[in-house]
Amino acid sequence: MKKSLFIVCLLLSTLQYTRAQGCSDAGICSLPVTATSMPTKNQIEVAAVFGAGEADTRYISPYITYTRTFSERWSGAVKITASSASGSFGRRSAVGDAYLSSTYSPVTERVYKWSFTGGLKIPFHDANLSIDNRPLPMDYQSSLGTIDFLGGANLNYKMWDFNVAVQVPVINFNANSYVADFSGTDDFPTTNLFERKPDALLRATYTVKTSNKYFSFKPNLLFIYHLGTDTYEDSDGKRLSIAGSDGLTVNGNLISAYHYKTGVIELSLATPFAVRKVRPDGLTREWTVGIGIRKGF
């Protein structure tokens, strides 16, 4: 218990001092890799994530998720996201993506429990939002403009969860037209007709519960590896690589929750420990704070 409290305090203190890249929100971080633990068949989650990114850009990213439990083994979920970004370019808000996923959990009496999830991310626009006809960098887009496959596996052992996941862009609709040379600032890289590479994730989570079971704390560590160098198209139609856009990001996250009869209220805090040199997809976060409520019915 003392070790768990130390981890919690360490994460909280790090949030005050680290200013770098937080968790990628391309979808892989929030992939539902375990079946719902609610005693009801239906669940609604409403939440919002607040964050800070490049060049003092601020974000509010609400989402809503509906989860249906079909049996002991199967559940499915639908998630709709949106985002509002504000900074030196102004403010731009839009709906983001739809996530469709399904989770399979084999019924077993063993102390080790597995679950497997697969799904799709479907964009609502082509990542070319603008303000007053002025092209915006990816940091102001609420979607990456790609259809992605997401897949993952989770292993639960007592108070520990270990999961791996991948996110692979399958179809690219990205039509972003931002060119840094014409923007008047060098805060953001050129992302004209941007193409993003896949991600792979490894996460370890430890759950601490109070004796009355009303409160739980889940410190977790995420390793996200961007599997390749992202590219854009220059004015001559030549596709160029964005140096430093591949590599590893390591994030610390703490999820605190209050459990009541048919629902959960959660507060999440995230901050990075190691970062990539460049993140042209606009997913840079110095820190994030999320709050949400899940209700079963």
Side-chain angles (χ1 to χ4, degrees):
M1 186 65 179
K2 290 182 179 179
K3 291 183 179 179
S4 301
L5 290 175
F6 173 76
I7 294 173
V8 170
C9 293
L10 178 62
L11 284 170
L12 288 173
S13 63
T14 306
L15 279 168
Q16 298 177 23
Y17 300 109
T18 304
R19 296 184 61 81
Q21 298 177 21
C23 185
S24 164
D25 197 25
I28 192 172
C29 291
S30 56
L31 181 69
V33 291
T34 56
T36 175
S37 58
M38 290 287 189
T40 56
K41 289 186 176 182
N42 301 284
Q43 176 184 302
I44 289 286
E45 180 181 11
V46 179
V49 179
F50 305 87
E54 297 278 24
D56 293 324
T57 308
R58 295 292 185 265
Y59 300 91
I60 302 175
S61 303
Y63 65 86
I64 183 169
T65 305
Y66 168 70
T67 303
R68 169 74 178 185
T69 300
F70 300 105
S71 66
E72 286 184 279
R73 293 180 172 86
W74 288 99
S75 65
V78 178
K79 178 181 178 181
I80 305 294
T81 69
S83 181
S84 178
S86 61
S88 58
F89 283 81
R91 178 181 292 275
R92 194 64 169 90
S93 304
V95 180
D97 302 287
Y99 294 83
L100 309 175
S101 63
S102 181
T103 298
Y104 173 70
S105 304
V107 177
T108 176
E109 299 299 325
R110 296 179 180 178
V111 66
Y112 295 97
K113 297 180 180 179
W114 287 93
S115 60
F116 306 91
T117 296
L120 291 175
K121 178 182 75 70
I122 303 171
F124 284 111
H125 61 82
D126 60 4
N128 197 28
L129 300 175
S130 61
I131 297 177
D132 297 328
N133 295 319
R134 185 183 184 187
L136 294 171
M138 289 299 298
D139 299 69
Y140 285 77
Q141 308 296 330
S142 61
S143 172
L144 295 171
T146 59
I147 294 179
D148 294 1
F149 166 77
L150 300 95
N154 185 81
L155 173 63
N156 172 261
Y157 174 70
K158 297 182 179 180
M159 306 302 287
W160 286 95
D161 282 278
F162 303 94
N163 71 272
V164 293
V166 293
Q167 179 166 356
V168 182
V170 178
I171 302 176
N172 184 30
F173 295 108
N174 189 293
N176 188 267
S177 57
Y178 177 78
V179 178
D181 291 342
F182 303 146
S183 67
T185 177
D186 59 359
D187 288 334
F188 308 100
T190 296
T191 48
N192 184 58
L193 299 178
F194 179 69
E195 290 187 2
R196 188 176 190 272
K197 298 300 183 180
D199 288 309
L201 174 145
L202 173 65
R203 170 167 44 197
T205 304
Y206 185 77
T207 300
V208 180
K209 295 182 180 180
T210 58
S211 57
N212 58 16
K213 307 297 183 182
Y214 285 128
F215 294 94
S216 65
F217 303 93
K218 295 182 178 181
N220 58 92
L221 195 62
L222 301 89
F223 300 84
I224 305 168
Y225 200 91
H226 197 54
L227 302 171
T229 303
D230 299 328
T231 64
Y232 71 95
E233 192 173 293
D234 68 8
S235 57
D236 295 325
K238 184 179 180 181
R239 185 147 293 277
L240 301 176
S241 297
I242 303 174
S245 57
D246 60 337
L248 180 67
T249 301
V250 181
N251 300 282
N253 181 251
L254 171 64
I255 301 173
S256 304
Y258 170 71
H259 303 258
Y260 58 99
K261 187 175 181 180
T262 59
V264 181
I265 299 173
E266 286 188 341
L267 174 68
S268 66
L269 308 171
T271 194
F273 300 138
V275 300
R276 288 188 278 143
K277 290 182 179 179
V278 181
R279 186 173 289 179
D281 48 25
L283 301 178
T284 296
R285 298 295 182 268
E286 297 175 351
W287 51 263
T288 63
V289 177
I291 186 168
I293 182 170
R294 300 202 312 268
K295 175 72 175 178
F297 61 95

mmCIF file of all heavy atoms in Angstrom, residues 22-67:
data_model
loop_
_atom_site.group_PDB
_atom_site.id
_atom_site.type_symbol
_atom_site.label_atom_id
_atom_site.label_comp_id
_atom_site.label_asym_id
_atom_site.label_seq_id
_atom_site.Cartn_x
_atom_site.Cartn_y
_atom_site.Cartn_z
ATOM 1 N N GLY A 22 2.127 14.855 -23.878
ATOM 2 C CA GLY A 22 1.299 13.917 -23.146
ATOM 3 C C GLY A 22 0.823 12.790 -24.046
ATOM 4 O O GLY A 22 1.323 12.597 -25.141
ATOM 5 N N CYS A 23 -0.174 12.042 -23.608
ATOM 6 C CA CYS A 23 -0.609 10.852 -24.318
ATOM 7 C C CYS A 23 -1.184 11.174 -25.684
ATOM 8 O O CYS A 23 -1.955 12.104 -25.845
ATOM 9 C CB CYS A 23 -1.670 10.121 -23.489
ATOM 10 S SG CYS A 23 -2.173 8.566 -24.213
ATOM 11 N N SER A 24 -0.767 10.361 -26.666
ATOM 12 C CA SER A 24 -1.364 10.458 -27.993
ATOM 13 C C SER A 24 -2.856 10.197 -27.873
ATOM 14 O O SER A 24 -3.280 9.233 -27.255
ATOM 15 C CB SER A 24 -0.742 9.422 -28.922
ATOM 16 O OG SER A 24 -1.521 9.246 -30.075
ATOM 17 N N ASP A 25 -3.666 11.065 -28.454
ATOM 18 C CA ASP A 25 -5.105 10.855 -28.429
ATOM 19 C C ASP A 25 -5.617 10.456 -29.797
ATOM 20 O O ASP A 25 -6.704 10.819 -30.210
ATOM 21 C CB ASP A 25 -5.821 12.127 -27.941
ATOM 22 C CG ASP A 25 -7.258 11.835 -27.503
ATOM 23 O OD1 ASP A 25 -7.525 10.690 -27.130
ATOM 24 O OD2 ASP A 25 -8.087 12.752 -27.556
ATOM 25 N N ALA A 26 -4.777 9.726 -30.539
ATOM 26 C CA ALA A 26 -5.222 9.204 -31.828
ATOM 27 C C ALA A 26 -6.252 8.110 -31.621
ATOM 28 O O ALA A 26 -6.909 7.672 -32.562
ATOM 29 C CB ALA A 26 -4.034 8.671 -32.621
ATOM 30 N N GLY A 27 -6.409 7.654 -30.381
ATOM 31 C CA GLY A 27 -7.417 6.656 -30.050
ATOM 32 C C GLY A 27 -6.855 5.459 -29.322
ATOM 33 O O GLY A 27 -7.552 4.794 -28.559
ATOM 34 N N ILE A 28 -5.588 5.168 -29.517
ATOM 35 C CA ILE A 28 -4.998 3.960 -28.951
ATOM 36 C C ILE A 28 -4.972 3.988 -27.424
ATOM 37 O O ILE A 28 -5.105 2.955 -26.767
ATOM 38 C CB ILE A 28 -3.588 3.745 -29.530
ATOM 39 C CG1 ILE A 28 -3.082 2.342 -29.192
ATOM 40 C CG2 ILE A 28 -2.623 4.817 -29.075
ATOM 41 C CD1 ILE A 28 -1.795 1.999 -29.881
ATOM 42 N N CYS A 29 -4.792 5.176 -26.835
ATOM 43 C CA CYS A 29 -4.700 5.274 -25.372
ATOM 44 C C CYS A 29 -6.010 4.890 -24.683
ATOM 45 O O CYS A 29 -6.011 4.357 -23.577
ATOM 46 C CB CYS A 29 -4.325 6.689 -24.956
ATOM 47 S SG CYS A 29 -2.643 7.145 -25.386
ATOM 48 N N SER A 30 -7.123 5.223 -25.323
ATOM 49 C CA SER A 30 -8.427 5.000 -24.692
ATOM 50 C C SER A 30 -9.156 3.790 -25.259
ATOM 51 O O SER A 30 -10.359 3.635 -25.045
ATOM 52 C CB SER A 30 -9.307 6.249 -24.858
ATOM 53 O OG SER A 30 -9.434 6.601 -26.230
ATOM 54 N N LEU A 31 -8.443 2.925 -25.981
ATOM 55 C CA LEU A 31 -9.066 1.709 -26.502
ATOM 56 C C LEU A 31 -9.583 0.857 -25.345
ATOM 57 O O LEU A 31 -8.839 0.541 -24.419
ATOM 58 C CB LEU A 31 -8.040 0.900 -27.301
ATOM 59 C CG LEU A 31 -8.533 -0.401 -27.938
ATOM 60 C CD1 LEU A 31 -9.507 -0.097 -29.068
ATOM 61 C CD2 LEU A 31 -7.354 -1.209 -28.466
ATOM 62 N N PRO A 32 -10.879 0.467 -25.352
ATOM 63 C CA PRO A 32 -11.437 -0.316 -24.247
ATOM 64 C C PRO A 32 -10.978 -1.762 -24.315
ATOM 65 O O PRO A 32 -11.597 -2.607 -24.955
ATOM 66 C CB PRO A 32 -12.953 -0.210 -24.474
ATOM 67 C CG PRO A 32 -13.100 -0.017 -25.953
ATOM 68 C CD PRO A 32 -11.896 0.773 -26.384
ATOM 69 N N VAL A 33 -9.863 -2.071 -23.641
ATOM 70 C CA VAL A 33 -9.248 -3.393 -23.755
ATOM 71 C C VAL A 33 -9.807 -4.406 -22.757
ATOM 72 O O VAL A 33 -9.419 -5.563 -22.764
ATOM 73 C CB VAL A 33 -7.724 -3.292 -23.593
ATOM 74 C CG1 VAL A 33 -7.110 -2.581 -24.771
ATOM 75 C CG2 VAL A 33 -7.358 -2.595 -22.300
ATOM 76 N N THR A 34 -10.716 -3.997 -21.882
ATOM 77 C CA THR A 34 -11.370 -4.928 -20.973
ATOM 78 C C THR A 34 -12.874 -4.738 -21.064
ATOM 79 O O THR A 34 -13.363 -3.660 -21.381
ATOM 80 C CB THR A 34 -10.938 -4.710 -19.505
ATOM 81 O OG1 THR A 34 -11.207 -3.350 -19.134
ATOM 82 C CG2 THR A 34 -9.457 -4.979 -19.339
ATOM 83 N N ALA A 35 -13.613 -5.793 -20.775
ATOM 84 C CA ALA A 35 -15.063 -5.717 -20.795
ATOM 85 C C ALA A 35 -15.554 -4.860 -19.635
ATOM 86 O O ALA A 35 -14.895 -4.720 -18.607
ATOM 87 C CB ALA A 35 -15.673 -7.118 -20.707
ATOM 88 N N THR A 36 -16.730 -4.264 -19.788
ATOM 89 C CA THR A 36 -17.280 -3.424 -18.733
ATOM 90 C C THR A 36 -17.548 -4.231 -17.469
ATOM 91 O O THR A 36 -17.963 -5.387 -17.533
ATOM 92 C CB THR A 36 -18.573 -2.749 -19.199
ATOM 93 O OG1 THR A 36 -19.140 -2.018 -18.099
ATOM 94 C CG2 THR A 36 -19.597 -3.763 -19.681
ATOM 95 N N SER A 37 -17.276 -3.625 -16.313
ATOM 96 C CA SER A 37 -17.494 -4.302 -15.034
ATOM 97 C C SER A 37 -18.820 -3.895 -14.406
ATOM 98 O O SER A 37 -19.111 -4.262 -13.270
ATOM 99 C CB SER A 37 -16.345 -3.972 -14.072
ATOM 100 O OG SER A 37 -16.248 -2.561 -13.877
ATOM 101 N N MET A 38 -19.629 -3.121 -15.121
ATOM 102 C CA MET A 38 -20.919 -2.689 -14.603
ATOM 103 C C MET A 38 -21.862 -3.890 -14.443
ATOM 104 O O MET A 38 -21.846 -4.819 -15.252
ATOM 105 C CB MET A 38 -21.555 -1.666 -15.549
ATOM 106 C CG MET A 38 -20.849 -0.329 -15.573
ATOM 107 S SD MET A 38 -21.150 0.613 -14.074
ATOM 108 C CE MET A 38 -20.426 2.187 -14.545
ATOM 109 N N PRO A 39 -22.743 -3.865 -13.412
ATOM 110 C CA PRO A 39 -23.696 -4.954 -13.238
ATOM 111 C C PRO A 39 -24.870 -4.871 -14.202
ATOM 112 O O PRO A 39 -25.712 -5.757 -14.239
ATOM 113 C CB PRO A 39 -24.166 -4.767 -11.780
ATOM 114 C CG PRO A 39 -24.008 -3.299 -11.527
ATOM 115 C CD PRO A 39 -22.790 -2.878 -12.311
ATOM 116 N N THR A 40 -24.954 -3.805 -14.994
ATOM 117 C CA THR A 40 -26.044 -3.616 -15.941
ATOM 118 C C THR A 40 -25.567 -3.896 -17.364
ATOM 119 O O THR A 40 -24.380 -3.883 -17.652
ATOM 120 C CB THR A 40 -26.581 -2.176 -15.864
ATOM 121 O OG1 THR A 40 -25.502 -1.267 -16.096
ATOM 122 C CG2 THR A 40 -27.178 -1.906 -14.488
ATOM 123 N N LYS A 41 -26.534 -4.123 -18.269
ATOM 124 C CA LYS A 41 -26.178 -4.450 -19.647
ATOM 125 C C LYS A 41 -25.796 -3.224 -20.465
ATOM 126 O O LYS A 41 -25.094 -3.337 -21.466
ATOM 127 C CB LYS A 41 -27.337 -5.182 -20.324
ATOM 128 C CG LYS A 41 -27.561 -6.596 -19.819
ATOM 129 C CD LYS A 41 -28.612 -7.301 -20.638
ATOM 130 C CE LYS A 41 -28.763 -8.753 -20.204
ATOM 131 N NZ LYS A 41 -29.767 -9.475 -21.027
ATOM 132 N N ASN A 42 -26.289 -2.058 -20.072
ATOM 133 C CA ASN A 42 -26.035 -0.842 -20.821
ATOM 134 C C ASN A 42 -25.255 0.161 -19.981
ATOM 135 O O ASN A 42 -25.441 0.240 -18.767
ATOM 136 C CB ASN A 42 -27.355 -0.200 -21.266
ATOM 137 C CG ASN A 42 -28.175 -1.126 -22.133
ATOM 138 O OD1 ASN A 42 -27.884 -1.326 -23.302
ATOM 139 N ND2 ASN A 42 -29.230 -1.710 -21.549
ATOM 140 N N GLN A 43 -24.411 0.938 -20.647
ATOM 141 C CA GLN A 43 -23.600 1.931 -19.940
ATOM 142 C C GLN A 43 -23.388 3.149 -20.821
ATOM 143 O O GLN A 43 -23.097 3.031 -22.008
ATOM 144 C CB GLN A 43 -22.252 1.323 -19.575
ATOM 145 C CG GLN A 43 -21.272 2.281 -18.926
ATOM 146 C CD GLN A 43 -19.932 1.626 -18.695
ATOM 147 O OE1 GLN A 43 -19.818 0.617 -18.021
ATOM 148 N NE2 GLN A 43 -18.893 2.192 -19.278
ATOM 149 N N ILE A 44 -23.558 4.329 -20.239
ATOM 150 C CA ILE A 44 -23.283 5.585 -20.918
ATOM 151 C C ILE A 44 -22.163 6.307 -20.165
ATOM 152 O O ILE A 44 -22.201 6.404 -18.941
ATOM 153 C CB ILE A 44 -24.525 6.497 -20.967
ATOM 154 C CG1 ILE A 44 -25.568 5.946 -21.936
ATOM 155 C CG2 ILE A 44 -24.140 7.915 -21.380
ATOM 156 C CD1 ILE A 44 -25.205 6.122 -23.403
ATOM 157 N N GLU A 45 -21.186 6.793 -20.908
ATOM 158 C CA GLU A 45 -20.118 7.593 -20.323
ATOM 159 C C GLU A 45 -20.079 8.957 -21.004
ATOM 160 O O GLU A 45 -20.076 9.043 -22.233
ATOM 161 C CB GLU A 45 -18.755 6.920 -20.487
ATOM 162 C CG GLU A 45 -17.611 7.739 -19.895
ATOM 163 C CD GLU A 45 -16.250 7.095 -20.083
ATOM 164 O OE1 GLU A 45 -16.159 6.113 -20.853
ATOM 165 O OE2 GLU A 45 -15.289 7.573 -19.473
ATOM 166 N N VAL A 46 -20.066 10.008 -20.199
ATOM 167 C CA VAL A 46 -19.911 11.373 -20.701
ATOM 168 C C VAL A 46 -18.694 11.971 -20.006
ATOM 169 O O VAL A 46 -18.602 11.929 -18.778
ATOM 170 C CB VAL A 46 -21.165 12.232 -20.413
ATOM 171 C CG1 VAL A 46 -20.956 13.661 -20.921
ATOM 172 C CG2 VAL A 46 -22.399 11.609 -21.067
ATOM 173 N N ALA A 47 -17.764 12.516 -20.789
ATOM 174 C CA ALA A 47 -16.521 12.996 -20.202
ATOM 175 C C ALA A 47 -15.935 14.117 -21.040
ATOM 176 O O ALA A 47 -16.355 14.369 -22.178
ATOM 177 C CB ALA A 47 -15.513 11.850 -20.085
ATOM 178 N N ALA A 48 -14.951 14.788 -20.473
ATOM 179 C CA ALA A 48 -14.208 15.835 -21.183
ATOM 180 C C ALA A 48 -12.758 15.798 -20.719
ATOM 181 O O ALA A 48 -12.479 15.560 -19.542
ATOM 182 C CB ALA A 48 -14.812 17.204 -20.934
ATOM 183 N N VAL A 49 -11.859 16.042 -21.665
ATOM 184 C CA VAL A 49 -10.425 16.083 -21.373
ATOM 185 C C VAL A 49 -9.917 17.495 -21.663
ATOM 186 O O VAL A 49 -10.179 18.048 -22.735
ATOM 187 C CB VAL A 49 -9.651 15.060 -22.225
ATOM 188 C CG1 VAL A 49 -8.160 15.137 -21.910
ATOM 189 C CG2 VAL A 49 -10.173 13.654 -21.978
ATOM 190 N N PHE A 50 -9.212 18.066 -20.713
ATOM 191 C CA PHE A 50 -8.628 19.395 -20.848
ATOM 192 C C PHE A 50 -7.119 19.228 -20.978
ATOM 193 O O PHE A 50 -6.514 18.423 -20.272
ATOM 194 C CB PHE A 50 -8.962 20.261 -19.633
ATOM 195 C CG PHE A 50 -10.437 20.359 -19.359
ATOM 196 C CD1 PHE A 50 -11.082 19.398 -18.572
ATOM 197 C CD2 PHE A 50 -11.188 21.392 -19.883
ATOM 198 C CE1 PHE A 50 -12.435 19.470 -18.319
ATOM 199 C CE2 PHE A 50 -12.548 21.477 -19.636
ATOM 200 C CZ PHE A 50 -13.171 20.518 -18.855
ATOM 201 N N GLY A 51 -6.505 20.006 -21.882
ATOM 202 C CA GLY A 51 -5.074 19.840 -22.074
ATOM 203 C C GLY A 51 -4.397 21.067 -22.629
ATOM 204 O O GLY A 51 -5.051 22.018 -23.077
ATOM 205 N N ALA A 52 -3.067 21.052 -22.589
ATOM 206 C CA ALA A 52 -2.243 22.125 -23.142
ATOM 207 C C ALA A 52 -1.273 21.516 -24.136
ATOM 208 O O ALA A 52 -0.682 20.465 -23.887
ATOM 209 C CB ALA A 52 -1.482 22.840 -22.038
ATOM 210 N N GLY A 53 -1.115 22.199 -25.292
ATOM 211 C CA GLY A 53 -0.248 21.679 -26.335
ATOM 212 C C GLY A 53 0.807 22.668 -26.772
ATOM 213 O O GLY A 53 1.244 23.527 -26.005
ATOM 214 N N GLU A 54 1.220 22.552 -28.041
ATOM 215 C CA GLU A 54 2.271 23.399 -28.588
ATOM 216 C C GLU A 54 1.844 24.863 -28.635
ATOM 217 O O GLU A 54 0.684 25.187 -28.863
ATOM 218 C CB GLU A 54 2.607 22.944 -30.020
ATOM 219 C CG GLU A 54 3.171 21.529 -30.108
ATOM 220 C CD GLU A 54 4.659 21.475 -29.818
ATOM 221 O OE1 GLU A 54 5.168 22.379 -29.126
ATOM 222 O OE2 GLU A 54 5.302 20.520 -30.277
ATOM 223 N N ALA A 55 2.813 25.765 -28.439
ATOM 224 C CA ALA A 55 2.622 27.210 -28.602
ATOM 225 C C ALA A 55 1.424 27.718 -27.803
ATOM 226 O O ALA A 55 0.628 28.529 -28.288
ATOM 227 C CB ALA A 55 2.453 27.554 -30.078
ATOM 228 N N ASP A 56 1.288 27.229 -26.560
ATOM 229 C CA ASP A 56 0.224 27.662 -25.650
ATOM 230 C C ASP A 56 -1.174 27.378 -26.187
ATOM 231 O O ASP A 56 -2.137 28.082 -25.856
ATOM 232 C CB ASP A 56 0.351 29.160 -25.331
ATOM 233 C CG ASP A 56 1.599 29.467 -24.520
ATOM 234 O OD1 ASP A 56 1.960 28.638 -23.665
ATOM 235 O OD2 ASP A 56 2.219 30.522 -24.760
ATOM 236 N N THR A 57 -1.302 26.372 -27.025
ATOM 237 C CA THR A 57 -2.624 25.948 -27.492
ATOM 238 C C THR A 57 -3.337 25.204 -26.365
ATOM 239 O O THR A 57 -2.740 24.368 -25.689
ATOM 240 C CB THR A 57 -2.511 25.032 -28.718
ATOM 241 O OG1 THR A 57 -1.690 25.668 -29.703
ATOM 242 C CG2 THR A 57 -3.874 24.762 -29.327
ATOM 243 N N ARG A 58 -4.625 25.515 -26.177
ATOM 244 C CA ARG A 58 -5.415 24.881 -25.128
ATOM 245 C C ARG A 58 -6.551 24.081 -25.759
ATOM 246 O O ARG A 58 -7.100 24.473 -26.793
ATOM 247 C CB ARG A 58 -5.985 25.923 -24.166
ATOM 248 C CG ARG A 58 -4.891 26.662 -23.368
ATOM 249 C CD ARG A 58 -4.200 25.728 -22.392
ATOM 250 N NE ARG A 58 -3.235 26.405 -21.524
ATOM 251 C CZ ARG A 58 -1.940 26.489 -21.763
ATOM 252 N NH1 ARG A 58 -1.466 25.945 -22.881
ATOM 253 N NH2 ARG A 58 -1.131 27.093 -20.931
ATOM 254 N N TYR A 59 -6.906 22.973 -25.096
ATOM 255 C CA TYR A 59 -7.887 22.058 -25.676
ATOM 256 C C TYR A 59 -8.980 21.695 -24.673
ATOM 257 O O TYR A 59 -8.713 21.525 -23.481
ATOM 258 C CB TYR A 59 -7.210 20.755 -26.116
ATOM 259 C CG TYR A 59 -6.136 20.936 -27.152
ATOM 260 C CD1 TYR A 59 -4.809 21.137 -26.764
ATOM 261 C CD2 TYR A 59 -6.434 20.916 -28.504
ATOM 262 C CE1 TYR A 59 -3.817 21.315 -27.708
ATOM 263 C CE2 TYR A 59 -5.446 21.091 -29.454
ATOM 264 C CZ TYR A 59 -4.133 21.289 -29.055
ATOM 265 O OH TYR A 59 -3.152 21.466 -29.982
ATOM 266 N N ILE A 60 -10.178 21.556 -25.199
ATOM 267 C CA ILE A 60 -11.282 20.912 -24.482
ATOM 268 C C ILE A 60 -11.818 19.845 -25.430
ATOM 269 O O ILE A 60 -12.242 20.153 -26.545
ATOM 270 C CB ILE A 60 -12.398 21.897 -24.109
ATOM 271 C CG1 ILE A 60 -11.843 23.036 -23.251
ATOM 272 C CG2 ILE A 60 -13.522 21.158 -23.368
ATOM 273 C CD1 ILE A 60 -12.881 24.115 -22.948
ATOM 274 N N SER A 61 -11.773 18.603 -24.990
ATOM 275 C CA SER A 61 -12.153 17.488 -25.861
ATOM 276 C C SER A 61 -13.211 16.620 -25.191
ATOM 277 O O SER A 61 -12.882 15.671 -24.464
ATOM 278 C CB SER A 61 -10.920 16.650 -26.209
ATOM 279 O OG SER A 61 -9.926 17.443 -26.821
ATOM 280 N N PRO A 62 -14.490 16.911 -25.411
ATOM 281 C CA PRO A 62 -15.550 16.085 -24.831
ATOM 282 C C PRO A 62 -15.798 14.824 -25.659
ATOM 283 O O PRO A 62 -15.446 14.768 -26.844
ATOM 284 C CB PRO A 62 -16.766 17.015 -24.884
ATOM 285 C CG PRO A 62 -16.504 17.877 -26.074
ATOM 286 C CD PRO A 62 -15.008 18.060 -26.147
ATOM 287 N N TYR A 63 -16.366 13.815 -25.029
ATOM 288 C CA TYR A 63 -16.769 12.622 -25.765
ATOM 289 C C TYR A 63 -17.908 11.923 -25.029
ATOM 290 O O TYR A 63 -18.151 12.142 -23.830
ATOM 291 C CB TYR A 63 -15.595 11.666 -25.974
ATOM 292 C CG TYR A 63 -15.015 11.057 -24.710
ATOM 293 C CD1 TYR A 63 -15.545 9.894 -24.148
ATOM 294 C CD2 TYR A 63 -13.912 11.634 -24.085
ATOM 295 C CE1 TYR A 63 -15.006 9.336 -23.004
ATOM 296 C CE2 TYR A 63 -13.360 11.083 -22.942
ATOM 297 C CZ TYR A 63 -13.912 9.929 -22.410
ATOM 298 O OH TYR A 63 -13.377 9.388 -21.267
ATOM 299 N N ILE A 64 -18.612 11.090 -25.764
ATOM 300 C CA ILE A 64 -19.689 10.279 -25.186
ATOM 301 C C ILE A 64 -19.541 8.854 -25.706
ATOM 302 O O ILE A 64 -19.217 8.648 -26.879
ATOM 303 C CB ILE A 64 -21.081 10.861 -25.528
ATOM 304 C CG1 ILE A 64 -22.183 10.035 -24.839
ATOM 305 C CG2 ILE A 64 -21.288 10.947 -27.041
ATOM 306 C CD1 ILE A 64 -23.551 10.678 -24.910
ATOM 307 N N THR A 65 -19.715 7.884 -24.817
ATOM 308 C CA THR A 65 -19.555 6.481 -25.172
ATOM 309 C C THR A 65 -20.758 5.674 -24.695
ATOM 310 O O THR A 65 -21.206 5.830 -23.560
ATOM 311 C CB THR A 65 -18.282 5.886 -24.528
ATOM 312 O OG1 THR A 65 -17.147 6.665 -24.892
ATOM 313 C CG2 THR A 65 -18.065 4.451 -24.970
ATOM 314 N N TYR A 66 -21.272 4.829 -25.579
ATOM 315 C CA TYR A 66 -22.320 3.874 -25.192
ATOM 316 C C TYR A 66 -21.739 2.472 -25.292
ATOM 317 O O TYR A 66 -21.165 2.093 -26.314
ATOM 318 C CB TYR A 66 -23.537 3.987 -26.106
ATOM 319 C CG TYR A 66 -24.518 2.846 -25.930
ATOM 320 C CD1 TYR A 66 -25.280 2.726 -24.769
ATOM 321 C CD2 TYR A 66 -24.663 1.865 -26.918
ATOM 322 C CE1 TYR A 66 -26.166 1.669 -24.592
ATOM 323 C CE2 TYR A 66 -25.542 0.815 -26.758
ATOM 324 C CZ TYR A 66 -26.291 0.718 -25.591
ATOM 325 O OH TYR A 66 -27.175 -0.330 -25.412
ATOM 326 N N THR A 67 -21.875 1.699 -24.209
ATOM 327 C CA THR A 67 -21.373 0.329 -24.172
ATOM 328 C C THR A 67 -22.523 -0.625 -23.886
ATOM 329 O O THR A 67 -23.353 -0.374 -23.000
ATOM 330 C CB THR A 67 -20.303 0.158 -23.080
ATOM 331 O OG1 THR A 67 -19.241 1.084 -23.323
ATOM 332 C CG2 THR A 67 -19.734 -1.253 -23.094
#
